[in-house]
Amino acid sequence: MLKITKFGGSSCASAEQFRKVKAIIEADPARRFVVISAAGRKNKSDNKITDLLYLCRAHVDYHVDYRPVFEIIRGRFLEIKNELGLKTDIEADLDAFCERIPEMSVDELVSRGEYFTSRLMADFLGFPFADAADIVAMEFDGSFNFEKTGENLKRILEQHDRFVMPGFYGRTPDGAIKVMTRGGSDISGSILARCLKADLYENWTDVSGFLMADPRIVKDPRNIERITYAELRELSYMGASVLHEDAIFPIREYNIPIHVLNTNRPQDPGTLVLDKIKDEVNGPLVTGIAGKKGFLSIEIVKRNMSNMVGIVSGALQVLEKYGVSIEHLPSGIDGFNVVLHAKDVEHNLYEILGEIKEKIQPDSIRVTEPMAVIAIVGRNMNSRAGSSGKLFTALGNAGVNIRMISQGSSEIDIIVGVANQDFEKAVRALYQSFAQ
């Protein structure tokens, strides 16, 4: 049995959290390869190391002394080292890093959070340290070279049968450090699981897996014990941010399960993520409910549109010109709606509307008030009748008007749009209806 074990920033925030990580690693000899994030917040008033590193860069860019911010970073690392009695001599490296900050690329600068946290963790666990820059091969566009990564791993495994590796970054063909998107350590663990052909990828965080709804909206929502890759991606994209949505892709074709677990409560069952879940005759109709505010809809009406060519594509060409991503595109015989993030058009909405009018000459075009989008996700919805009816009834009884509805081609989700002010009420109503 081989497990890749990744720990998030909250799991590495202090000496106390380091001790929890060590207990988890020592509890199972299959946990030989560990991926570490940069130290996160110790408490709500604290700062993440990565945020402080970005702040250092901002100080450099605006010609402000960055050293006071760096001293906070230095203090955090030395506090962990001294409390645990570690021998790794990071003081000299931190001093050298401080002097290089003005000349470093942003990517290399912010990657040092993972780098230094991992060095301390390797010392504490008694594992070798393996730099992600020597393992994870990235292309200039941010994609991954799995073949090269596998070759790099093979060389390291000739010397070590276990190691601690920083997450979040790799190296491009020209030797430069390149970081992934925020939360990218999840992807690093997934890459390692793929290249080592692991039996399981454990992702340890500060929550006990995925919940059926946001606990800030729904009181004590149920834990999701098992979920498919497809469901996870839908829920992650819609705001259920326990696991980076792109962590699925490197391991999906190898059908490596992901187990999301809680560092602070390792006894909890967590959530197991699988490619397919079979033998669920009486499985749940809905797996999870997630959503986000801050959308708007451009409603375009053109009579007899169904008999014309190029109307929808004309509008989309304008949005493409402005770099605006489309979230949903519900349509009818004489019109269609384009649903998008309000922030994507906050500076050029009227220019976009003007160009759409000029290009396709609609009978009318209007922008709706800001709305929220909610996804009801369930792998069993496509095999059981009544899902939509149950949804309409729940929202109708709660007095929530549906502004938009769409169903994905995979039929594992139904998307509804509601007014921003109805968002929380709608989520609670749907949870009460589907969680019974």
Side-chain angles (χ1 to χ4, degrees):
M1 183 73 167
L2 175 61
K3 296 179 180 179
I4 303 305
T5 311
K6 179 263 175 182
F7 291 91
S10 61
S11 302
C12 309
S14 65
E16 178 186 1
Q17 294 301 96
F18 268 52
R19 293 188 184 101
K20 293 177 183 178
V21 170
K22 187 172 186 178
I24 289 167
I25 295 300
E26 292 182 342
D28 189 343
R31 296 171 177 144
R32 295 188 287 115
F33 299 97
V34 184
V35 178
I36 294 296
S37 297
R41 294 188 183 94
K42 294 186 293 183
N43 51 60
K44 290 183 179 179
S45 61
D46 198 16
N47 294 292
K48 297 178 180 179
I49 292 293
T50 302
D51 291 339
L52 292 172
L53 290 166
Y54 274 116
L55 185 58
C56 282
R57 181 64 189 194
H59 279 50
V60 171
D61 290 343
Y62 288 96
H63 307 290
V64 177
D65 186 8
Y66 64 87
R67 293 176 187 273
V69 178
F70 174 78
E71 286 304 314
I72 299 174
I73 298 170
R74 177 189 176 92
R76 286 284 304 280
F77 286 130
L78 294 185
E79 178 184 9
I80 293 171
K81 174 187 174 178
N82 294 333
E83 186 172 337
L84 297 176
L86 303 179
K87 297 179 180 179
T88 297
D89 181 16
I90 63 170
E91 288 86 347
D93 288 343
L94 284 168
D95 290 342
F97 168 51
C98 179
E99 295 303 318
R100 289 189 58 228
I101 284 177
E103 64 190 49
M104 296 176 80
S105 68
V106 175
D107 282 31
E108 184 177 3
L109 171 60
V110 300
S111 74
R112 297 305 87 180
E114 277 74 14
Y115 175 81
F116 284 112
T117 306
S118 296
R119 285 185 58 189
L120 292 176
M121 186 64 76
D123 184 351
F124 189 51
L125 295 178
F127 280 30
F129 168 78
D131 194 349
D134 298 328
I135 297 176
V136 180
M138 300 179 69
E139 303 297 348
F140 294 110
D141 63 359
S143 60
F144 302 104
N145 185 329
F146 295 114
E147 182 178 355
K148 178 65 174 176
T149 300
E151 293 172 359
N152 293 339
L153 270 171
K154 184 177 180 181
R155 286 195 296 270
I156 291 175
L157 292 175
E158 291 174 353
Q159 305 175 46
H160 307 296
D161 66 347
R162 63 193 62 221
F163 58 71
V164 171
M165 184 189 85
F168 189 45
Y169 69 93
R171 194 192 301 276
T172 54
D174 63 352
I177 298 292
K178 188 172 184 64
V179 299
M180 305 166 198
T181 57
R182 290 297 291 264
S185 292
D186 291 345
I187 306 173
S188 299
S190 185
I191 292 168
L192 207 58
R194 171 192 173 118
C195 292
L196 290 174
K197 296 181 173 58
D199 299 292
L200 182 67
Y201 170 29
E202 291 183 335
N203 193 291
W204 294 82
T205 180
D206 56 1
V207 294
S208 297
F210 281 85
L211 300 174
M212 190 172 174
D214 189 335
R216 295 169 297 183
I217 300 174
V218 174
K219 184 179 180 180
D220 298 325
R222 292 182 182 178
N223 181 69
I224 301 172
E225 294 184 1
R226 298 191 300 172
I227 188 173
T228 64
Y229 291 145
E231 291 172 306
L232 171 62
R233 179 154 170 76
E234 294 287 344
L235 290 171
S236 296
Y237 183 74
M238 290 303 296
S241 57
V242 174
L243 182 72
H244 195 296
E245 61 193 67
D246 289 342
I248 297 167
F249 293 121
I251 60 176
R252 186 168 189 171
E253 65 180 285
Y254 293 89
N255 197 23
I256 299 172
I258 305 173
H259 202 178
V260 181
L261 295 157
N262 189 342
T263 304
N264 303 312
R265 293 183 56 84
Q267 72 275 15
D268 289 353
T271 299
L272 191 61
V273 188
L274 303 160
D275 183 30
K276 295 179 181 179
I277 299 175
K278 301 178 181 179
D279 304 323
E280 276 201 319
V281 176
N282 297 313
L285 178 62
V286 166
T287 302
I289 300 164
K292 294 185 286 190
K293 294 182 180 179
F295 294 86
L296 61 78
S297 175
I298 301 176
E299 181 186 272
I300 300 170
V301 176
K302 180 82 169 178
R303 286 187 294 274
N304 296 320
M305 183 189 76
S306 59
N307 295 322
M308 302 177 185
V309 175
I311 301 300
V312 175
S313 64
L316 298 186
Q317 287 169 15
V318 174
L319 292 166
E320 181 182 2
K321 171 185 172 182
Y322 284 88
V324 177
S325 176
I326 308 301
E327 294 294 318
H328 303 285
L329 192 69
S331 63
I333 297 174
D334 293 322
F336 60 99
N337 289 63
V338 181
V339 180
L340 39 81
H341 285 283
K343 64 178 177 59
D344 289 347
V345 294
E346 60 183 344
H347 300 302
N348 47 28
L349 176 60
Y350 294 105
E351 290 90 336
I352 289 172
L353 296 178
E355 290 196 28
I356 290 176
K357 287 181 180 179
E358 182 178 351
K359 192 169 189 70
I360 65 174
Q361 299 180 359
D363 296 318
S364 67
I365 182 170
R366 72 183 184 95
V367 178
T368 65
E369 295 178 1
M371 67 178 184
V373 173
I374 303 170
I376 302 90
V377 179
R379 58 187 173 272
N380 294 315
M381 289 198 301
N382 61 2
S383 61
R384 298 184 194 172
S387 303
S388 298
K390 195 170 185 178
L391 181 152
F392 293 139
T393 299
L395 295 182
N397 290 341
V400 175
N401 182 43
I402 298 175
R403 303 267 295 276
M404 180 272 294
I405 184 165
S406 175
Q407 185 168 24
S409 57
S410 62
E411 297 185 34
I412 67 166
D413 66 336
I414 301 176
I415 311 292
V416 294
V418 302
N420 265 349
Q421 63 267 26
D422 288 336
F423 175 63
E424 289 82 5
K425 180 166 61 172
V427 171
R428 284 191 288 268
L430 291 168
Y431 179 81
Q432 290 167 6
S433 178
F434 285 103
Q436 303 305 318

